[in-house]
Amino acid sequence: MYNSAGNGGYQMVGGQIKDTHNRCFGGRFWCVRDICGIICAVMTWLLVVYADIVVVLVICSSGGSSSNGNNANAHYTPASSLSAYSVINFIIFNLLAFLALASHTRAMLSDPGAVPKGNATRENIELLGLQEGQVIFKCPKCISIKPVRAHHCSVCQRCIRKMDHHCPWVNNCVGENNQKFFVLFTLYIALLSLHGLLLGGYHFVTCVGSEWRHCSSVSPPATVVLLLFLIFESLLFAIFTAVMFFSQLSAIWNDETGIEQLKKEQGTWERKSRWRSVQSVFGRFSVSWLNPFTLPPLSVRHQPFSYAV
């Protein structure tokens, strides 16, 4: 049972004060209440759903019959006799779509590594046991002790550990705790877009050489419009997410966040080796690297708060 514990996003739970800022569903999920981010996140889902509808209704429902090229006798094949081409592409496309949306959801609803608000009290600072020559930084906006490599996000209204950037498409910051999910999201969207581009382009070309009314279960004008928009959408997002994916891999490989690259900050932290930097995001090498349902390794306890001067 939740009872109010004053303002600032804190509530009393079981006799303890819990931080509920940017939290929803009883504090179990991280939720950023930004209207622009919410619209972008909903648009992401709608675009994936649109692509899936086109692939199912226009491409896969034809049973691959349009692949006969100049064969004017090609005809629409009912679902009961779909070809191996349609079944295989249906499974691959929907599997990629599921993994992309699962990664998107995990990136959106995971705490990116928020520093507790208002923890810059005299008592907490004394508990750090600072030695001579060590200093700490306090965020004036959320009144928190800023760990090394943490940055304040004006949208999330929190300091985020190892913050890379704020992404409106996932309506969240990309930080220490959810970077794996964001990387997987860009990877699966890029693969999904590439697959959609190949399917849409191939189907469009083969339909040009045959009778349009035999190319899908919808009318020829609708088929043309749906395929053209699918090709345009797939090309656009294939390029965009591929660039984001490789930029994220480069940042992880060099143990440098996007903000640090942009600001050209001089490293005051001990840089990890390239392999250890990759493992800090994805964990030990295994197939779980590609699984959006496995948690990334959490390094909160190893995050230093003090800066040497």
Side-chain angles (χ1 to χ4, degrees):
M1 186 84 180
Y2 284 87
N3 296 311
S4 175
N7 52 24
Y10 289 88
Q11 291 180 333
M12 186 71 70
V13 182
Q16 295 182 339
I17 296 178
K18 297 292 184 179
D19 183 3
T20 59
H21 180 252
N22 284 345
R23 296 282 180 175
C24 59
F25 297 102
R28 289 178 295 176
F29 298 106
W30 178 266
C31 304
V32 179
R33 295 168 179 83
D34 175 57
I35 186 61
C36 177
I38 293 173
I39 292 174
C40 288
V42 171
M43 284 181 58
T44 301
W45 276 69
L46 292 178
L47 288 170
V48 172
V49 171
Y50 167 81
D52 191 64
I53 291 174
V54 175
V55 169
V56 172
L57 293 183
V58 177
I59 298 175
C60 291
S61 66
S62 67
S65 59
S66 62
S67 61
N68 294 328
N70 295 324
N71 183 5
N73 295 321
H75 60 281
Y76 166 68
T77 304
S80 59
S81 57
L82 292 179
S83 67
Y85 171 87
S86 296
V87 173
I88 292 174
N89 282 293
F90 174 86
I91 293 174
I92 293 175
F93 193 87
N94 280 276
L95 177 61
L96 290 174
F98 172 75
L99 291 172
L101 294 180
S103 301
H104 179 272
T105 303
R106 295 302 298 272
M108 180 172 58
L109 299 181
S110 295
D111 183 342
V115 180
K117 295 184 70 175
N119 70 345
T121 62
R122 182 185 298 273
E123 293 77 10
N124 287 338
I125 294 175
E126 290 177 351
L127 289 175
L128 294 177
L130 299 178
Q131 304 296 322
E132 184 177 356
Q134 289 183 312
V135 297
I136 62 170
F137 289 130
K138 182 174 74 172
C139 177
K141 297 178 181 179
C142 56
I143 318 299
S144 64
I145 302 173
K146 290 182 65 174
V148 177
R149 308 184 73 179
H151 294 275
H152 184 85
C153 175
S154 58
V155 179
C156 295
Q157 299 179 2
R158 299 291 289 270
C159 282
I160 307 297
R161 294 187 302 271
K162 201 178 174 183
M163 176 180 169
D164 186 87
H165 69 287
H166 183 92
C167 178
W169 294 104
V170 297
N171 190 33
N172 200 0
C173 277
V174 178
E176 183 179 68
N177 293 350
N178 69 342
Q179 190 171 24
K180 171 190 173 179
F181 303 135
F182 181 76
V183 172
L184 291 181
F185 166 65
T186 58
L187 170 64
Y188 289 128
I189 286 292
L191 293 176
L192 182 71
S193 299
L194 179 60
H195 191 207
L197 179 63
L198 294 175
L199 286 177
Y202 180 71
H203 200 75
F204 187 87
V205 170
T206 53
C207 284
V208 169
S210 63
E211 297 185 33
W212 278 95
R213 67 178 181 274
H214 298 147
C215 284
S216 72
S217 58
V218 297
S219 64
T223 299
V224 174
V225 173
L226 292 173
L227 284 177
L228 287 179
F229 191 80
L230 174 66
I231 293 171
F232 173 76
E233 173 195 353
S234 298
L235 178 62
L236 179 64
F237 282 96
I239 296 174
F240 176 70
T241 53
V243 170
M244 286 298 300
F245 173 71
F246 286 110
S247 67
Q248 285 290 301
L249 289 187
S250 175
I252 295 171
W253 185 253
N254 296 309
D255 193 20
E256 190 175 35
T257 67
I259 290 181
E260 292 161 356
Q261 291 176 339
L262 184 64
K263 293 185 175 181
K264 295 181 171 56
E265 294 183 354
Q266 297 296 324
T268 57
W269 62 91
E270 182 181 352
R271 287 184 181 270
K272 305 182 186 73
S273 66
R274 289 175 173 176
W275 183 242
R276 284 192 60 194
S277 180
V278 172
Q279 287 184 317
S280 69
V281 175
F282 296 99
R284 293 187 177 183
F285 179 73
S286 68
V287 293
S288 66
W289 278 20
L290 301 176
N291 186 355
F293 297 99
T294 57
L295 292 174
L298 301 180
S299 56
V300 176
R301 63 174 66 92
H302 305 298
Q303 185 72 35
F305 285 85
S306 61
Y307 299 74
V309 295

